Amino acid sequence: MRILSGIQPSGKLHLGNYLGMMRPAMELQEQGEAFLFIANYHALTTIHDRATLWGYTQDVALDFLACGLDPQRTAFYRQSDVPEVTELTWLLSTLAPMGLLERCHSYKDKTPRGLPASHGLFSYPVLMAADILAVQSNCVPVGRDQKQHVEVTRDLAIKFNNQFGEVFTVPDPAIRDEVAVVPGVDGQKMSKSYRNTIEIFGTAKATRKQIMRIVTDSKALEDPKDPDTCTVFALLKLLAPPNEQAEWAARYRAGGMGYGESKKALADHFEAHFAPLRAKREKLAGNPDYVEDVLQGGARRARAAARETLDRARAATGLVAP
Ligand code: ADP
Ligand code: TRP
């Protein structure tokens, strides 16, 4: 199995990113050859400030390494260090139907929010297809919001293979139901763009504050409460051990428990999970040369795989002598 996933360095990573993509991707490291990368070409569709883009890129590198990415097993790299993907993007874009791209939410959702409709934003899914197809990945761990992009990738791979002969592996998304859409503090999908996140590497104090801000209904302390419609409980379910989840569900239903209490339990679980990772991250931050070595080593591995694919694609399309 070849596993590949990426994340844009477009803001501080949050619990939705961690549970929906980072942790599942890192668990898959054990099961095959894995490629994980920092999608800085993608982030460039929305961030046009050098210091911001570079800062977030460094952050994502530290975040992944602190959370357990094993650079021996996994090729971990910056997307822009594998420029082969941009050439592959062109080859794929000559087959990508306009209508298909017009329906993609990466473009459709962002332009109404005032983002300029650049060509890069429009062709975002084609670049993503190139990331995946370049290394012949067959397993793409992502949250549900990325499913459409993996479907576009499948369409493009099949279309290319039909037209030019078998070059690409057709990938499948790997989406885990229980973490496919992690809710944010307002109950909507947690997302950087909705300002409803719980950051994974904020300070302990700031994180607790974000957790205390989770919106709940206005039931009084003594009222019985419904765990299944409560965001605090939804998150508790993802961080607490199963026996404790059942206890909380029972306490919700019995009444006599305030949301402050379940929020406190959530904050404690969060802290128990992330405090050791935070310490590891601080140590890594003091060793930028190591982090850079990891990324460059990862890029060499990814480039070798991408080169092989690209050579085959160039030959198949008639760009080089038969
Ligand atoms: P954001 O919506 O915060 O900008 P991204 O689009 O950069 O997040 O997502 C990066 C990865 O994290 C993707 O694989 C995405 O599916 C996953 N992800 C993001 N938010 C969530 C969430 N709330 N629940 C589950 N997975 C998520
Ligand atoms: N579009 C993805 C996101 O916003 C990031 C990404 C870029 C990606 N290329 C990818 C994810 C390839 C998986 C595979 O989250």
Side-chain angles (χ1 to χ4, degrees):
M1 184 160 69
R2 268 205 176 168
I3 301 127
L4 173 133
S5 195
I7 196 158
Q8 294 190 67
S10 56
K12 300 277 184 196
L13 298 190
H14 54 73
L15 199 55
N17 298 139
Y18 180 76
L19 297 171
M21 187 287 241
M22 298 167 74
R23 194 163 68 172
M26 288 187 287
E27 282 168 10
L28 283 166
Q29 296 182 108
E30 324 281 317
Q31 291 176 35
E33 199 181 347
F35 295 82
L36 280 175
F37 68 96
I38 308 171
N40 54 354
Y41 280 148
H42 277 107
L44 204 48
T45 59
T46 51
I47 298 182
H48 293 136
D49 177 77
R50 177 173 50 185
T52 308
L53 183 63
W54 183 252
Y56 283 146
T57 304
Q58 300 298 90
D59 278 346
V60 172
L62 292 173
D63 290 354
F64 264 95
L65 291 169
C67 288
L69 183 144
D70 174 359
Q72 303 293 331
R73 262 180 202 279
T74 298
F76 183 42
Y77 54 98
R78 280 178 293 250
Q79 187 183 30
S80 59
D81 288 340
V82 185
E84 283 77 8
V85 297
T86 58
E87 185 176 346
L88 187 54
T89 301
W90 181 257
L91 302 191
L92 297 171
S93 75
T94 63
L95 290 175
M98 290 289 285
L100 184 69
L101 300 182
E102 274 160 4
R103 286 195 296 279
C104 283
H105 61 72
S106 52
Y107 180 74
K108 218 172 63 180
D109 297 350
K110 281 181 184 155
T111 40
R113 283 198 278 122
L115 275 164
S118 70
H119 176 257
L121 193 61
F122 186 70
S123 57
Y124 182 112
V126 188
L127 176 59
M128 181 156 159
D131 294 324
I132 297 169
L133 301 179
V135 306
Q136 306 283 351
S137 158
N138 49 7
C139 170
V140 184
V142 282
R144 187 162 292 145
D145 59 333
Q146 296 300 315
K147 186 167 180 243
Q148 185 188 44
H149 292 150
V150 182
E151 279 161 3
V152 169
T153 305
R154 290 173 58 88
D155 284 359
L156 295 180
I158 292 168
K159 204 163 173 196
F160 188 103
N161 287 349
N162 285 342
Q163 185 67 37
F164 299 114
E166 289 295 315
V167 172
F168 298 119
T169 305
V170 180
D172 283 304
I175 300 171
R176 292 204 192 160
D177 277 344
E178 70 286 7
V179 288
V181 186
V182 175
V185 298
D186 58 357
Q188 287 192 79
K189 171 193 177 271
M190 189 179 289
S191 172
K192 282 167 235 143
S193 29
Y194 302 155
R195 297 173 179 280
N196 64 354
T197 63
I198 301 172
E199 287 170 20
I200 55 174
F201 287 115
T203 61
K205 199 171 151 204
T207 307
R208 210 163 268 273
K209 218 165 140 187
Q210 287 171 333
I211 291 175
M212 290 301 163
R213 274 183 39 217
I214 295 176
V215 177
T216 53
D217 61 31
S218 51
K219 289 213 167 84
L221 182 83
E222 59 279 11
D223 293 341
K225 299 176 179 67
D226 182 2
D228 299 327
T229 55
C230 175
T231 306
V232 184
F233 183 76
L235 294 174
L236 208 44
K237 251 180 33 186
L238 298 172
L239 291 179
N243 58 331
E244 211 186 299
Q245 292 168 28
E247 270 171 43
W248 279 105
R251 291 194 58 196
Y252 265 73
R253 294 198 176 98
M257 178 218 74
Y259 290 116
E261 256 187 273
S262 54
K263 285 181 182 176
K264 186 175 172 304
L266 176 61
D268 291 345
H269 278 295
F270 185 99
E271 196 51 24
H273 189 85
F274 287 103
L277 307 185
R278 203 185 286 132
K280 195 167 157 199
R281 190 183 189 284
E282 265 163 36
K283 230 169 157 183
L284 283 161
N287 199 349
D289 291 348
Y290 166 77
V291 177
E292 188 55 32
D293 276 356
V294 164
L295 293 173
Q296 290 191 12
R300 277 193 293 278
R301 281 155 71 188
R303 273 196 97 163
R307 187 71 252 162
E308 214 181 298
T309 305
L310 195 54
D311 286 345
R312 285 173 54 204
R314 285 169 63 96
T317 44
L319 292 168
V320 291

